[in-house]
Amino acid sequence: MMSVSYMTHPLIRHKITLLRKENTSTNEFRKLVEEIAMLMGYEALSDLETQEINIKTPLEESKQPVISGKKLAVVPILRAGLGMVNGILALVPSARVGHIGLYRDPVTHEPHEYYCKLPEPIDQRQIVVVDPMLATGGSAVAAVDYIKKHGGQKIKFMSIIAAPKGVETLMKAHPDIQLYVGALDRELDDNAYIRPGLGDAGDRIFGTK
């Protein structure tokens, strides 16, 4: 069953607007990506399982909830996805971090893998794949393909900006995952850039061109 959640929180929407502005500095852009990822992560991780443990407060012994099971795995799609990692780690500092490296062919726009390293045992972890942009959906589909090939099962995908084409492509290929989108934009242009979008997220995070 397909599950797509579009963020409506006013703080997320406000910060995405600041992210879009062409005069937002590299430093501010980087901070905003991290803050948006944390706010989206708060929503996306609301279903984490918990278990009760015995603790001792300054006043008495008590049973209180903690996150149960294997730890979370955050998997950014390189390189822009790196900008979202610290936002998730701020919520769950014990999470493990994997990496998937993909590059897009400039002519065909098809993704190609050049690196994949995932924390083990990946099949027992809740996996959150992060990438600021979901454009054609090709890289997202490839990333989830690789994770499943390595045994990953419980997968969430978080993207700050998405095009309708990207959402459709990802959810058609992987209807069993949960997708969280900060803002759904109008369309892709002829160069497969999201419109109105925010430009190249990787370049703006790392100050490159």
Side-chain angles (χ1 to χ4, degrees):
M1 182 176 69
M2 289 195 296
S3 175
V4 184
S5 298
Y6 298 101
M7 303 291 101
T8 59
H9 196 290
L11 281 175
I12 296 176
R13 296 173 68 185
H14 170 79
K15 290 177 185 294
I16 290 176
T17 296
L18 298 179
L19 204 63
R20 294 183 189 276
K21 295 172 66 175
E22 67 175 353
N23 60 351
T24 297
S25 69
T26 298
N27 183 45
E28 186 63 18
F29 191 93
R30 193 179 297 139
K31 289 179 180 177
L32 285 166
V33 167
E34 186 174 320
E35 290 168 0
I36 293 166
M38 183 168 61
L39 291 168
M40 291 182 64
Y42 181 81
E43 298 280 349
L45 301 176
S46 63
D47 60 351
L48 285 177
E49 295 181 5
T50 62
Q51 65 184 53
E52 290 195 336
I53 63 169
N54 291 314
I55 66 166
K56 188 174 182 180
T57 77
L59 300 177
E60 62 179 83
E61 291 190 355
S62 175
K63 282 190 172 183
Q64 297 295 332
V66 294
I67 295 172
S68 65
K70 291 291 181 182
K71 302 299 183 185
L72 188 71
V74 185
V75 181
I77 298 178
L78 302 178
R79 64 183 167 138
L82 289 171
M84 299 177 68
V85 172
N86 284 342
I88 307 299
L89 293 180
L91 298 174
V92 190
S94 62
R96 302 291 179 88
V97 180
H99 298 88
I100 290 182
L102 300 167
Y103 70 89
R104 188 171 71 169
D105 187 290
V107 177
T108 66
H109 305 306
E110 290 297 314
H112 300 277
E113 177 194 11
Y114 65 87
Y115 185 79
C116 183
K117 185 77 170 179
L118 302 173
E120 296 294 343
I122 196 64
D123 62 317
Q124 297 178 34
R125 297 181 185 277
Q126 172 63 68
I127 304 155
V128 180
V129 185
V130 293
D131 193 352
M133 313 293 284
L134 179 58
T136 65
S139 295
V141 169
V144 176
D145 282 342
Y146 296 138
I147 291 171
K148 287 184 175 180
K149 185 172 68 175
H150 285 82
Q153 298 174 22
K154 297 175 63 178
I155 301 170
K156 297 175 185 280
F157 196 104
M158 281 176 43
S159 189
I160 295 175
I161 301 284
K165 172 67 174 176
V167 173
E168 179 185 1
T169 299
L170 177 57
M171 298 314 293
K172 183 177 180 180
H174 297 289
D176 55 324
I177 72 170
Q178 293 176 284
L179 173 61
Y180 296 84
V181 174
L184 183 66
D185 277 16
R186 186 179 69 248
E187 63 186 359
L188 294 177
D189 64 18
D190 292 340
N191 295 314
Y193 277 99
I194 301 173
R195 297 284 184 146
L198 46 75
D200 187 295
D203 284 346
R204 298 193 68 184
I205 289 169
F206 298 108
T208 54
K209 291 183 179 179

